[in-house]
Amino acid sequence: MKLDCSTLSILIVVAALTTSSSPVSAFRTPLALAHPTMAQVAQFAPQAASLFNNMKTPASIIAGAMVPLGLLAPIPLAHPDGKPEHRLEKMMRRSYTAVAVLALLSEFISVIMATVAVNQLTETVVAPAASVWDLLQRDYDLSWSGTNAHFLFGMFSFAYLVAVRSYFNVGGGLLGRGVAGLAGSSLLYMVAVVNRGVASGSGDGLSYGNSIVSLFRHYAGLVLARKRGGFRPLELGAVALGFGSLVAVALAVFRRGDE
């Protein structure tokens, strides 16, 4: 049953991503006009809401698949014959649940940010813009970059979970390294695809940067920029608790021995 849950989770994600209603890119954008006139602007709120919805759906499905893969099914022993695990194997085992929790909650945040943005686009009066990209950058920069950053982090973390579970499912060794390497290869290719999308930008010189690091840096910069107006109590508590928890996880993952 453990293997069935993991396999089912992966199949659900693959099916969902391959049947997406329309291709979505956080990086290739419509032509943005530097100085639009009144005749050049239009109402793009419905298209912007559609983009957020297209991100929200796969993020929700991945979050649902993450539960049985990362939290419900325990990881088998790397060496069923009782041979002690290597330090790297211990680190993989210790990090597994932490990465699963981070990935799951990252997808939750992506869904929440997209949902709130869609509600705002639907319920409020949105000023016309030169393009969808112009609207997103003007009014929803934090929401759009955050939705994509958290979605991608959760997706890449999901690939890491597949690699670790595959390694332990086959008992490690040469076969374990091979199947984990396949997952690692897919992860690297996904990053390469995203990097190419980030670098291509809008086609007229506007982009987040040259790689996925630029997207995360842009999002982090927007979050930190809120400090100028002061963090609200819940935001400050979230940052402090998250930082402390990450430190505790890192210390636990990289410790030596079984203490």
Side-chain angles (χ1 to χ4, degrees), residues 30-94:
L31 180 62
L33 302 178
H35 300 287
T37 65
M38 290 302 296
Q40 294 172 323
V41 298
Q43 183 54 259
F44 288 99
Q47 292 90 330
S50 178
L51 286 175
F52 278 108
N53 280 325
N54 285 344
M55 295 299 296
K56 181 173 62 176
T57 300
S60 302
I61 296 174
I62 292 174
M66 204 90 66
V67 174
L69 177 69
L71 299 177
L72 296 185
I75 304 177
L77 296 174
H79 307 287
D81 57 0
K83 183 180 178 181
E85 293 181 345
H86 303 298
R87 188 185 179 207
L88 180 59
E89 293 172 336
K90 292 180 180 179
M91 292 172 57
M92 292 167 59
R93 181 182 295 279
R94 290 167 178 165

Side-chain angles (χ1 to χ4, degrees), residues 3-242:
L3 184 58
D4 292 341
C5 289
S6 303
T7 305
L8 179 61
S9 301
I10 298 171
L11 291 178
I12 290 174
V13 173
V14 172
L17 295 180
T18 55
T19 57
S20 178
S21 57
S22 61
V24 179
S25 172
F27 318 111
R28 292 200 62 83
T29 58
L31 180 62
L33 302 178
H35 300 287
T37 65
M38 290 302 296
Q40 294 172 323
V41 298
Q43 183 54 259
F44 288 99
Q47 292 90 330
S50 178
L51 286 175
F52 278 108
N53 280 325
N54 285 344
M55 295 299 296
K56 181 173 62 176
T57 300
S60 302
I61 296 174
I62 292 174
M66 204 90 66
V67 174
L69 177 69
L71 299 177
L72 296 185
I75 304 177
L77 296 174
H79 307 287
D81 57 0
K83 183 180 178 181
E85 293 181 345
H86 303 298
R87 188 185 179 207
L88 180 59
E89 293 172 336
K90 292 180 180 179
M91 292 172 57
M92 292 167 59
R93 181 182 295 279
R94 290 167 178 165
S95 66
Y96 185 85
T97 300
V99 173
V101 171
L102 282 173
L104 178 62
L105 298 181
S106 185
E107 297 296 349
F108 282 173
I109 294 174
S110 180
V111 171
I112 288 295
M113 298 184 82
T115 301
V116 172
V118 169
N119 289 344
Q120 292 176 335
L121 286 164
T122 305
E123 298 170 352
T124 63
V125 178
V126 180
S131 64
V132 179
W133 175 252
D134 181 57
L135 172 60
L136 292 174
Q137 291 298 291
R138 186 191 67 198
D139 299 334
Y140 297 92
D141 195 12
L142 177 62
S143 299
W144 184 239
S145 58
T147 296
N148 284 277
H150 284 287
F151 170 77
L152 291 172
F153 177 81
M155 189 69 184
F156 296 159
S157 299
F158 190 88
Y160 172 79
L161 297 180
V162 171
V164 173
R165 177 165 291 278
S166 300
Y167 177 87
F168 285 103
N169 277 348
V170 299
L174 181 62
L175 180 58
R177 290 189 290 271
V179 295
L182 292 176
S185 174
S186 298
L187 174 59
L188 293 176
Y189 185 71
M190 287 189 289
V191 174
V193 170
V194 174
N195 285 343
R196 185 172 297 178
V198 173
S200 64
S202 63
D204 61 350
L206 299 177
S207 67
Y208 285 123
N210 296 322
S211 68
I212 189 175
V213 177
S214 303
L215 171 63
F216 286 110
R217 184 170 58 241
H218 179 76
Y219 172 55
L222 292 175
V223 173
L224 294 177
R226 295 170 66 91
K227 291 177 62 178
R228 298 173 183 174
F231 277 119
R232 296 180 179 180
L234 288 179
E235 293 174 332
L236 182 60
V239 171
L241 181 59

